[in-house]
């Protein structure tokens, strides 16, 4: 049973506790500071928050006493010499088929800590952090020190080893609109998956590049984008340039992965070796940001659909969660307890979570909803939270 809900919001960290038959939020933590992502380490209960200080930049905060006190820890920094090929925000007259010009290089700096993940039970100090502009950082001492994963940073799909000199291959990673607030247009890592069977088996998702897999703890990486489609590029089946909004894995059946993509919902039952588009526009399942998968049944998943990329709000003013129990062959709209008139919510990529029969999501309009029966019915936890960036149960 879930007894605590952890929200990362535009104005701090919110913890909501079960109190008898109801729920009550604690006083806000990290007050006034945007929290991109907040989560609990299942290995030891440590709470983590990725802060986005407007003046001091991104940093991590950690609590080892259930949220009573928090400590800021060492900031993530790119090593000296870390460069990337600078991206340019496309303009209306952008021609994706035009020949690429001479690359322009930019020194790497951490604009945003977008996602955190935790190593396996036999890796007690291992943590991962995904950042904008597309670097994966690793800590083996509980966040005391961090190191850039260079094999991913130097991947041939991104231009090769720029520590050693100029690009040796074409950069095929694009930027994410989530970086525009920082005055740039660069890639970002927002999904990091550690296989529960083997902690050296990793998947990451990059906007905009796609999904990559490592089977050796991050020493080598390979693209895993077969079957994914991009309806906004001349070659929808290109190897790179995809925009997965969020990717997640079924803990009990780890070969089952799901992604809510910019271009629809995709499902894999072969460990991301291939993907199948399982959108259903007739029920509104296509565009959106989050996806959650059942902890034991890899064919059961939930999404919170939005109208479209251009209109990021509910469909026809009614908020609903869609569920599939057959690997995306069919979808059911779950609306009981959710507003069906004049609702304009959108739910961001980290703002939906599942634990057992409990689901919870929060929206950018500050509404949070909980279901304790797998989405059949919903209760409102509050309508006046700050814009919600992440939701995690437990």
């Amino acid at each position: 049973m879930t007894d605590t809900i952890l929200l990362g919001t535009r104005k701090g960290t919110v913890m909501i506790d079960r109190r008898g038959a109801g729920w009550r939020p604690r006083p806000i933590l990290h007050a006034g500071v945007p929290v991109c992502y907040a989560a609990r380490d299942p290995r030891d209960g440590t709470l983590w928050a990725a802060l986005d200080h407007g003046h001091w930049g991104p940093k991590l905060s950690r609590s080892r006493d259930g949220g009573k006190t928090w400590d800021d820890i060492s900031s993530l920094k790119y090593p000296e010499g870390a460069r990337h090929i600078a991206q340019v925000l496309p303009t209306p007259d952008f021609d994706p088929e035009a020949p690429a010009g001479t690359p322009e290089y930019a020194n790497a700096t951490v604009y945003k800590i977008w996602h955190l993940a935790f190593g396996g039970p036999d890796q007690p100090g291992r943590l991962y952090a995904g950042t904008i502009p597309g670097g994966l950082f690793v800590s083996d001492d509980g966040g005391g020190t961090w190191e850039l994963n260079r094999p991913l940073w130097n991947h041939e799909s991104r231009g090769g080893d720029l520590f050693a000199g100029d690009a040796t291959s074409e950069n095929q990673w694009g930027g994410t609109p989530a970086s525009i607030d920082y005055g740039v247009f660069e890639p970002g890592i927002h999904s990091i998956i550690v296989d529960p069977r083997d902690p050296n088996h990793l998947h990451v998702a990059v906007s905009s590049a796609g999904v990559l897999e490592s089977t050796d703890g991050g020493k080598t990486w390979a693209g895993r984008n077969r079957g994914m489609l991009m309806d906004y590029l001349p070659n929808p089946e290109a190897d790179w340039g995809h925009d997965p909004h969020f990717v997640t894995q079924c803990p009990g059946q780890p070969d089952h992965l799901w992604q809510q993509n910019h271009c629809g919902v995709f499902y894999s039952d072969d460990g991301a070796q291939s993907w199948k588009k399982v959108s259903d526009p007739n029920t509104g399942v296509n565009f959106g940001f989050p996806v959650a998968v059942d902890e034991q049944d890899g064919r059961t998943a939930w999404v919170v659909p939005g109208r479209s990329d251009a209109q990021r709000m509910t469909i026809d003013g009614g908020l609903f969660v869609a569920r599939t129990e057959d690997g995306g062959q069919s979808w059911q709209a779950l609306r009981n307890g959710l507003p069906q008139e004049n609702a304009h919510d959108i739910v961001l990529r980290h703002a939906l979570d599942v634990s057992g029969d409990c689901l919870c999501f929060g929206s950018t309009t500050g509404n949070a909803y909980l279901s304790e029966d797998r989405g059949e019915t919903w209760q409102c936890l509050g309508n006046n939270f700050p814009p919600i960036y992440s939701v995690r149960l437990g």
Side-chain angles (χ1 to χ4, degrees):
M1 178 183 292
T2 295
D3 292 320
T4 301
I5 302 169
L6 192 62
L7 308 182
T9 82
R10 175 66 178 80
K11 296 184 180 181
T13 303
V14 176
M15 298 183 70
I16 307 174
D17 298 315
R18 186 188 295 273
R19 298 287 180 87
W23 295 82
R24 179 178 297 177
R26 303 182 197 178
I28 197 165
L29 307 163
H30 307 110
V33 179
V35 176
C36 305
Y37 185 79
R40 175 184 175 274
D41 187 338
R43 299 169 299 181
D44 61 9
T46 299
L47 301 178
W48 291 87
L51 311 184
D52 192 14
H53 281 277
H55 293 290
W56 311 117
K59 62 173 60 179
L60 291 174
S61 186
R62 175 180 63 196
S63 175
R64 288 174 166 162
D65 56 10
K68 296 177 182 177
T69 61
W70 293 79
D71 299 313
D72 290 347
I73 64 171
S74 300
S75 297
L76 281 65
K77 294 182 180 179
Y78 280 89
E80 184 176 353
R83 301 184 302 159
H84 57 92
I85 297 174
Q87 302 293 302
V88 178
L89 182 65
T91 58
D93 59 353
F94 172 71
D95 181 3
E97 296 184 304
T102 302
E104 294 186 10
Y105 302 101
N107 293 324
T109 186
V110 177
Y111 295 109
K112 180 175 186 173
I113 302 171
W114 210 356
H115 192 226
L116 298 170
F118 309 105
D122 60 345
Q123 299 173 319
R126 174 65 63 91
L127 302 167
Y128 296 96
T131 69
I132 295 174
L136 176 68
F137 284 80
V138 184
S139 174
D140 280 315
D141 58 6
T145 59
W146 293 85
E147 182 177 352
L148 176 68
N149 179 270
R150 294 201 184 197
L152 181 59
W153 182 258
N154 297 335
H155 198 267
E156 61 180 7
S157 64
R158 201 179 186 184
D161 185 359
L162 302 186
F163 285 96
D166 289 345
T168 56
S169 58
E170 180 184 356
N171 174 42
Q172 300 180 77
W173 290 27
T176 171
S179 66
I180 295 175
D181 287 345
Y182 308 94
V184 296
F185 188 63
E186 302 299 345
I189 296 175
H190 50 64
S191 305
I192 307 165
I193 300 170
V194 180
D195 192 326
R197 300 167 298 189
D198 176 7
N200 289 316
H201 184 202
L202 309 170
H203 290 89
V204 299
V206 183
S207 291
S208 297
V211 177
L212 296 99
E213 178 189 40
S214 175
T215 58
D216 53 14
K219 296 177 182 178
T220 60
W221 295 88
R224 293 291 179 253
N225 299 314
R226 185 161 63 92
M228 291 166 59
L229 300 170
M230 297 176 288
D231 55 19
Y232 51 85
L233 288 183
N235 179 12
E237 299 181 10
D239 291 335
W240 300 100
H242 298 272
D243 188 7
H245 285 172
F246 187 63
V247 178
T248 190
Q249 179 183 58
C250 174
Q253 294 181 319
D255 286 336
H256 294 250
L257 289 92
W258 288 82
Q259 67 169 287
Q260 172 66 72
N261 189 288
H262 190 90
C263 300
V265 180
F266 291 81
Y267 167 61
S268 173
D269 61 4
D270 59 6
Q273 298 300 308
S274 64
W275 296 91
K276 179 182 179 181
K277 189 172 184 177
V278 293
S279 299
D280 181 10
N282 291 329
T283 57
V285 176
N286 190 45
F287 183 81
F289 288 94
V291 59
V293 60
D294 186 82
E295 293 174 310
Q296 299 300 325
D297 179 7
R299 293 169 57 82
T300 296
W302 295 262
V303 296
V304 188
R307 184 181 296 181
S308 68
D309 176 30
Q311 297 178 324
R312 299 185 177 195
M313 59 182 68
T314 58
I315 300 171
D316 298 329
L319 180 60
F320 71 96
V321 174
R323 181 182 65 203
T324 179
E325 297 176 312
D326 54 15
Q329 296 182 54
S330 63
W331 292 88
Q332 178 185 5
L334 307 171
R335 301 177 182 268
N336 191 357
L338 299 175
Q340 296 304 300
E341 293 182 350
N342 301 314
H344 306 292
D345 303 65
I346 193 72
V347 179
L348 297 182
R349 69 194 77 225
H350 299 132
L352 168 68
D353 197 22
V354 60
S355 177
D357 291 336
C358 290
L359 288 100
C360 186
F361 71 90
S363 75
T364 58
T365 43
N367 301 314
Y369 296 93
L370 174 74
S371 172
E372 298 189 80
D373 55 10
R374 302 175 66 79
E376 294 291 336
T377 60
W378 295 88
Q379 60 177 300
C380 180
L381 298 175
N383 300 115
N384 296 300
F385 295 111
I388 296 170
Y389 296 153
S390 73
V391 174
R392 288 297 175 262
L393 296 169

